[in-house]
Amino acid sequence: MAIYYSKIMVWDKNLRDFAGCGIHGCHHFRKDAIMKLTRLNSFHKKLGGRMVEFFGWEMPVEFKGIIDEHMAVRTRAGLFDVGHMGEIHIEGPDALPFVQYLTPNDASRLKAGMVQYTALTTPEGTFVDDMLVYFLAENTYLLVVNASNTDKDFAWIVDHRENFDVRIENRSDAYSQIAVQGPKAQAILSPLTDVDLDGMKTFRSAFGKAAGIDALISRTGYTGEDGFEIYTTDPDPGKIWEALLEQGREAGVLPVGLGARDTLRLEAKLMLYGNDISDKTTVLEADLKWIVKFQKGDFLGKAALEKQQAEGLKRKIAGFEIIDKGIARPHYPILADGRPVGEVCSGTFSPFLKKAIGLAYLPIDLTAPGTEIAVVVRDRTLAARVVPTPFYKRGEA
């Protein structure tokens, strides 16, 4: 049987445009594929979730609609199933030096319960993946990686374990993960957990109970809002999902699919592997210099990044907004003075800002805010300009 892929089309009356969901790897079902299911799959179907294939996973792309779900997270709260993400444990006497070698950020700054955004880097300073590192306990780290990269990341980590006394385990199948995001997230989760959320700072975590189930709860997320991510290895995470929906009913919490997850993260300029970062883009080009700690010692990609920094960047990711009417999508050409200078990485209509926005790698002399560029959208050349990022920042809207 032939395998076919066709980009999922999402209609929202407020977008006034048929639009791809914009997420790399989001497709109609492969007719002959055996898809992976999170433990919450039946709950999504019960709620009427529109299911799609996402890198081999059957996931909801939307429930009530992308705009409604997006605005629920910005103004109230949204509930996400992120059980497709990968969880890799690194333990042993050399766990810290090994994590330090694999990543550009300085994991030695972490104390138990702290979380760090970083990357798995190649010797060229490009991305194997981006990820969160949880310092669970002495000599014990949890790496949370992208669903699409879990197997690749695990193989990469194992291949580089030589000379390090560590145990590496891919526990992705054991974990479920639920995120509750938005200004009312804490009020919704607090009655359901014994973890002190008032005392939990951003990028901190703690073990405790959620809806009576053992869980690891962190003040992290992928939306630009305050919120929490809940990890559990309990076989019935649906108890947490249903408890959050019930607890948040009065506050207006909505289940949220991949579509709004993408628009939310783009407004906040949170990178998406495969769209904005890859093994073809360096950490410095991705405007993530803040996660590169050259002074910490050697790490994969250090020499290449030091060389690139010394020579100066030739290109960098930049945000833009479209002035004319139209929406940019990944791979649409970018022009400056009529000549091609790049292509769109991520692009969408921003439900909160109510304008078309996007990211693109541009020659460094075109990355200053206010620079006039153009985006070719379906054979139309639309005026656009470079703007500061993130497009949306909590508390400044």
Side-chain angles (χ1 to χ4, degrees):
M1 181 182 296
I3 298 175
Y4 77 95
Y5 287 90
S6 176
K7 193 171 187 179
I8 186 70
M9 305 301 286
V10 179
W11 165 254
D12 192 295
K13 62 182 180 181
N14 294 316
L15 284 174
R16 296 182 179 181
D17 183 23
F18 278 103
C21 72
I23 309 171
H24 184 72
C26 188
H27 302 284
H28 280 308
F29 295 125
R30 288 168 54 175
K31 287 184 175 178
D32 61 347
I34 299 174
M35 283 182 289
K36 301 176 186 176
L37 309 180
T38 72
R39 293 179 179 84
L40 298 175
N41 183 274
S42 62
F43 293 85
H44 305 326
K45 292 178 177 174
K46 184 179 177 182
L47 289 169
R50 185 177 180 183
M51 309 302 286
V52 299
E53 182 197 347
F54 182 69
F55 286 109
W57 291 84
E58 187 186 29
M59 299 294 292
V61 69
E62 63 177 337
F63 292 89
K64 190 175 181 179
I66 292 174
I67 301 290
D68 286 347
E69 293 164 26
H70 183 109
M71 294 308 294
V73 175
R74 288 280 180 255
T75 60
R76 307 186 304 276
L79 197 58
F80 301 76
D81 175 10
V82 271
H84 58 311
M85 300 291 281
E87 289 85 7
I88 298 171
H89 277 237
I90 297 178
E91 303 175 20
D94 290 340
L96 174 57
F98 187 45
V99 171
Q100 290 285 68
Y101 177 65
L102 293 171
T103 68
N105 211 334
D106 188 356
S108 72
R109 297 182 177 185
L110 297 176
K111 298 177 181 177
M114 296 177 71
V115 188
Q116 186 177 76
Y117 176 73
T118 187
L120 279 175
T121 38
T122 69
E124 292 75 36
T126 60
F127 293 86
V128 180
D129 203 357
D130 66 339
M131 63 181 180
L132 293 179
V133 174
Y134 286 71
F135 184 23
L136 299 182
E138 185 175 0
N139 299 327
T140 304
Y141 294 85
L142 165 65
L143 313 185
V144 180
V145 303
N146 284 294
S148 59
N149 291 336
T150 301
D151 292 341
K152 180 189 71 171
D153 293 350
F154 181 66
W156 177 269
I157 293 168
V158 169
D159 285 347
H160 291 83
R161 72 188 185 284
E162 191 177 6
N163 303 322
F164 294 96
D165 184 4
V166 291
R167 298 182 300 279
I168 308 164
E169 186 177 359
N170 183 355
R171 299 187 186 174
S172 303
D173 289 344
Y175 274 97
S176 296
Q177 187 189 152
I178 297 169
V180 55
Q181 301 279 296
K184 296 186 177 181
Q186 181 173 337
I188 293 169
L189 179 57
S190 286
L192 303 175
T193 182
D194 55 358
V195 171
D196 175 17
L197 302 184
D198 283 334
M200 180 180 286
K201 297 179 180 178
T202 303
F203 277 74
R204 299 292 193 278
S205 68
F207 289 100
K209 297 281 187 181
I213 292 175
D214 290 334
L216 171 66
I217 299 174
S218 62
R219 197 163 205 145
T220 54
Y222 192 55
T223 62
E225 294 299 332
D226 185 24
F228 302 88
E229 293 178 304
I230 305 164
Y231 302 80
T232 183
T233 56
D234 190 279
D236 189 10
K239 292 179 181 176
I240 300 176
W241 177 266
E242 290 199 310
L244 287 167
L245 278 179
E246 180 59 30
Q247 186 66 35
R249 190 179 307 280
E250 189 173 338
V253 67
L254 289 182
V256 181
L258 294 172
R261 178 175 161 86
D262 190 53
T263 54
L264 288 159
R265 70 92 196 162
L266 181 53
E267 282 184 347
K269 198 197 176 188
L270 298 171
M271 297 289 111
L272 176 62
Y273 189 91
N275 281 42
D276 311 315
I277 55 176
S278 71
D279 59 2
K280 302 295 189 295
T281 56
T282 75
V283 180
L284 299 180
E285 292 170 337
D287 201 21
L288 292 172
K289 183 181 178 181
W290 63 274
I291 69 169
V292 181
K293 307 298 192 295
F294 288 118
Q295 73 279 9
K296 74 166 186 173
D298 193 27
F299 61 88
L300 282 169
K302 181 181 180 182
L305 292 172
E306 284 182 326
K307 182 174 185 291
Q308 187 174 48
Q309 179 170 262
E311 294 176 348
L313 292 178
K314 294 181 173 55
R315 64 169 187 164
K316 191 174 73 171
I317 200 165
F320 66 84
E321 63 182 24
I322 293 183
I323 299 169
D324 294 330
K325 188 176 181 180
I327 300 174
R329 295 298 178 194
H331 307 300
Y332 284 8
I334 303 277
L335 308 179
D337 295 326
R339 60 186 173 85
V341 293
E343 63 177 31
V344 176
C345 302
S346 292
T348 190
F349 178 82
S350 162
F352 188 84
L353 303 172
K354 303 192 185 319
K355 59 185 178 182
I357 59 173
L359 294 171
Y361 284 89
L362 297 175
I364 200 70
D365 61 337
L366 297 178
T367 57
T371 302
E372 294 183 358
I373 57 175
V375 182
V376 181
V377 177
R378 297 175 183 171
D379 299 324
R380 294 186 299 141
T381 300
L382 306 182
R385 61 175 162 245
V386 176
V387 296
T389 52
F391 305 98
Y392 167 86
K393 191 172 184 180
R394 178 164 51 99
E396 295 183 359

